[in-house]
Amino acid sequence: MQLYNTLSAEERAELIDQAGKQRLTLSFYAYAKIEDPKKFRDDLFIAWNQLDALGRTYVAKEGINAQMSVPAENFEAFRETLEAYDFMRGIRLNVAVEHDDHSFLKLTVKVRDKIVADGLNDETFDVTNIGVHLKAAEFNQILEDPNTIVVDFRNHYESEIGHFKGAITPDVETFRESLPIINEQLKDFKEDKNLVMYCTGGIRCEKASAYFKHQGFKNVFQLEGGIINYAKQIKEENIESKFIGKNFVFDHRLGERITNDIVSQCHQCGKPCDNHTNCENDGCHLLFIQCDECKATMENCCSVECLDTIHLPLVEQVKLRRGLQVGNKVFRKGKSEKLLFKHSGELSDKSLAVAENKEHKPKDIRQKIKKVLLGKAEHYYVKAQIGLFSIENNELNIGDKLLISGPTTGAEEYILEKMLVNGKENTTAKIGDKVTFEVPFRVRLSDTLFKIVS
């Protein structure tokens, strides 16, 4: 009985690409009393593993909180695994606005004390006495009321790339920090103002709305299903988006576009940009906003120090990290003096630029063509418009029709006419070779290289 992952992220990514089937990214949560979270966790893992479902899920005695990637063909079967439990019958599944087959590459189901780290003692107030749920049209309407105060209950790195116009955006790194700050800031408005709150998928507001009602706020409202559900509704109902920019998400994509407005800047050069990245240095992993030009120049690093570090021999890098917290423990979310153009707290509703419209690009490209994995992008030389790729699988030849695919690049096709293999012009590249060739579009380090075979 398999209760853990047996494949690495890289192996899983290759299997997904070879399968060539569309996957859906979705999230859901439910508060309920779960007597045996460990058994609940094991049962879910077994059921989901059989459906090739991947993602990150937390279960606790108070309920479940999940972000998942599910094969489209298994969507209804996945829903059935949830509705086998009474408290999840009819549960709302927040399906992502944008999909990426690599949004999650492992199935992780963990038992936690709480499904959201809120720092609250649930025994001191009625957690079921929540605020009024508002659908997108209702949310838009209440925002027009001058008696309304709207609060973003996400963290600074989330709100910086996108938020509702006029919202209070606390300069916090965790949800638990925002609760006392907002309570103190709005203490004089408990009786006569509409306290309207929102978050990514709704789960933070479920607890926050109950907490603020307990604190004496009379008129408490929350966006049903969060920004994810709001984006779906405004598209289906063709209504105006009061949200501007991108919605930060906690998977490989790190964001999905709601409007074409870019409201944030590259933290290194100040150019309008809303693409997050993690510093390439394994001893840093700082989360920050980085434009394509800085990404190429700095090789995904947040500073010159980190850039120098990644070029050291691996043994030297390990020595530098010895005794320090690394990996997930050092994962820092955008707070560093090195980030010259970082903005937190009170954010502008002004659009700095308009994102490139990629609607002309083919949808669900993996369903429409047959391809084989070749390798991945390692560098992009901006001025020369040349991409560097490592060949990890199969053979590459002059005349091959290629597909370069990634969350920002989209899906670009290209016929290879000339290339350098390990620095010398050649007609064939094999596994282990490094190849460079001209690319008439920008390439990112997260891009994958495929050969189109039909």
Side-chain angles (χ1 to χ4, degrees), residues 348-371:
S348 171
D349 295 334
K350 181 181 178 182
S351 177
L352 303 178
V354 177
E356 178 186 351
N357 189 343
K358 298 184 179 293
E359 289 184 356
H360 67 282
K361 295 188 176 178
K363 302 287 186 179
D364 300 333
I365 189 72
R366 294 177 176 88
Q367 289 185 302
K368 297 182 179 180
I369 60 176
K370 186 176 180 181
K371 63 190 187 301

Side-chain angles (χ1 to χ4, degrees), residues 31-32 60-63 113-128 175 179 206-208 210-211 214:
Y31 280 99
K61 289 189 174 180
E62 67 172 357
D113 291 332
K114 286 195 169 190
I115 55 177
V116 175
D118 52 38
L120 299 174
N121 181 354
D122 295 353
E123 302 299 323
T124 61
F125 66 102
D126 183 0
V127 297
T128 66
F175 172 50
L179 297 173
E206 287 289 296
K207 189 65 69 73
Y211 169 77
H214 174 69

Side-chain angles (χ1 to χ4, degrees), residues 423-438:
K424 297 181 180 180
E425 188 169 347
N426 207 328
T427 59
T428 300
K430 300 181 182 296
I431 295 174
D433 288 341
K434 304 287 186 181
V435 300
T436 54
F437 51 84
E438 291 185 7

